[in-house]
Amino acid sequence: MRTPRSRTPKDFSLEQRLAACAQAAEADPAAWRGAWHAWAPRPQDDTAVNRRASYERVILDLGCGKGEYTVACARQRPDTLFVGLDIEGICVMRGAERALAEDVTNAVFACVDHLDLADLFAPGEVDGILMNFPTPFPKKKKAHLRLTYLDRLMAYRSFLAPGATVRLRTDSAPFRDFSLTQLELAGYELQWVADDVRALFPDEPESAYEAKLTALGAQVCGLEAMPGPAPEHVEQTAPLSLVSYLPEDVEHLDYVPYGMQGYVVNARGRRANLRAKGLPEWTPPMV
């Protein structure tokens, strides 16, 4: 999730705040590899008795941001453990504090700054992956950072349980359409794809970030897919710049996806100049 940096007071200490919400912030997620279905917070002191847990499912929320969506989903499904991961420690702190404040005990948050999630989850341990408004990284040179990039989709296979799905929600139709190419290359089978996910799932939790985007005119699009037979040959053949997935008529876009505003403004200007000169209009390159 794309989360703006929070302003913090001068005497703010992330370490102290994380320690204060340690019951919902896991400092050593790799220690639970193979045991997430029985995750329980550590005792707050040496005399406390740790509660035992046994969850039917483990759902991974990748790029969980401030944890609003994670906690809301966990509240709806108390039999499922929701693990929110983010690279920003302050996001992990916010998510953990929210879970504790709302007394949601089946949501845990952890900060991860490496790419190999197989270090955190054993084969078949994860029953689903949520990607709720992840950063789309529109430029070609950063395509490998997208959560739906081919190499990542192949890596998820190592810890997804049979029948597990990967679910994407985004305001960026180009990112969703790029993800469709990656899922096909990685041998995933589509369960559904939609231009309006909210219409499909009207009761799904809504984060403040989603509300902000929809107020700006965004419509939530997305998809859900399940790993099928692994492809015999894995090769990246799709265009990597999200520009390639924009419609040719960018002038009449009702909503410009995150990170693509500059390109669209420039493209509109170039087309206007070409029309004024009576020349053929420029179209997005397939890169």
Side-chain angles (χ1 to χ4, degrees), residues 70-90:
T70 318
V71 172
C73 288
R75 188 188 305 108
Q76 290 184 348
R77 300 169 63 178
D79 63 338
T80 299
L81 176 67
F82 285 81
V83 182
L85 298 183
D86 204 279
I87 63 172
E88 295 286 347
I90 197 167

Side-chain angles (χ1 to χ4, degrees), residues 58-194:
V58 173
I59 300 294
L60 173 59
D61 188 359
L62 276 181
C64 62
K66 294 180 180 179
E68 295 168 299
Y69 183 74
T70 318
V71 172
C73 288
R75 188 188 305 108
Q76 290 184 348
R77 300 169 63 178
D79 63 338
T80 299
L81 176 67
F82 285 81
V83 182
L85 298 183
D86 204 279
I87 63 172
E88 295 286 347
I90 197 167
C91 288
V92 170
M93 179 200 78
R94 299 290 189 199
E97 289 180 339
R98 178 178 295 273
L100 294 177
E102 299 184 16
D103 197 27
V104 174
T105 60
N106 59 316
V108 57
F109 297 86
C111 186
V112 293
D113 57 3
H114 60 84
L115 301 180
D116 193 358
L117 295 178
D119 290 342
L120 306 184
F121 303 99
E125 189 168 28
V126 174
D127 297 285
I129 298 177
L130 302 177
M131 302 173 183
N132 193 44
F133 295 93
T135 304
F137 297 105
K139 294 183 179 180
K140 176 180 179 180
K141 65 181 180 180
K142 291 191 175 182
H144 65 286
L145 298 176
R146 298 172 195 154
L147 295 184
T148 56
Y149 189 72
L150 174 59
D151 293 352
R152 292 183 181 241
L153 291 173
M154 294 302 298
Y156 300 154
R157 285 177 167 273
S158 70
F159 56 81
L160 285 174
T165 63
V166 172
R167 193 169 187 270
L168 170 69
R169 299 169 76 247
T170 178
D171 65 305
S172 174
F175 178 42
R176 188 273 312 272
D177 293 343
F178 164 81
S179 300
L180 289 171
T181 69
Q182 303 301 283
L183 289 163
E184 181 178 1
L185 293 173
Y188 283 62
E189 299 173 352
L190 276 177
Q191 305 301 295
W192 55 262
V193 58

